[in-house]
Structures are given as C-alpha cells and as structure tokens.
Amino acid sequence: MKESTKQLELFGMSVDENYFTSMLWGTLTFFPSKTNRWTDTCRHCLLWNNVEGKCSELPLTARCASYERKDGREGYFAIHQMPRV
C-alpha cells in the first residue's frame, strides 16, 4: 500500500457516523440539531467554509444531513470541549 493511501485512510467518517477526522481540526464529534436550518447546523460546523459556501473537507464526506446518515439525524461536527494540553 502506498504511503499516500495510508495517510488518506486516517481521515473521514467513523463507522458509527458520530465522529469525523478532519485534516485541519482532528477528530470532531457529531452534535444533533433540532432542525435542518443552516442556523442550527452548518453555522456551528467547523467543516463549513464561509468563503466558499460549502464543506471544507471535500472530497471527504462528513455525513451531517438526515438523508445521508443511517440514523436519520440532522446536525453538525464540532469540538465542544477543547482538549487540555
């Protein structure tokens, strides 16, 4: 297996869809939201790129919309409790 392929496998969704390993942020946790409105979902997501108006982790797929997820929940990915150094 090529080294670049091994590195790519470190990023992306967990099997249970509750964690996403970001190239920039590290491991993010899925937080469910009450609605699918932008103000309740993408606005809070660390993966959202305000300049481009899309997910910054493309082509990786962070499944945060109900139609993408096995559990049917809406939400966003973030770090709510920063790790202690």
Side-chain angles (χ1 to χ4, degrees), residues 2 6 14 24 30 35 38 45 50 53-54 59 66 72 77 80:
K2 292 183 181 178
K6 288 180 186 178
S14 65
L24 178 62
F30 177 79
T35 73
W38 183 86
C45 189
N50 286 320
K54 63 182 180 181
S66 61
F77 287 92
H80 280 207

Side-chain angles (χ1 to χ4, degrees), residues 2-3 10 26 31 39 42 81:
K2 292 183 181 178
E3 187 64 33
L10 299 175
F31 292 93
T39 55
C42 299
Q81 187 170 9

Side-chain angles (χ1 to χ4, degrees), residues 4-5 8 10 12 16 22 36 39 41 43-45 62-63 69 72 80:
S4 60
T5 306
L8 284 175
L10 299 175
D16 66 3
S22 164
N36 65 350
T39 55
T41 57
R43 185 183 83 163
H44 303 291
C45 189
R63 293 186 290 273
R69 296 179 57 83
H80 280 207

Side-chain angles (χ1 to χ4, degrees), residues 10-21:
L10 299 175
F11 303 109
M13 289 294 299
S14 65
V15 175
D16 66 3
E17 299 180 326
N18 289 320
Y19 301 97
F20 183 84
T21 305

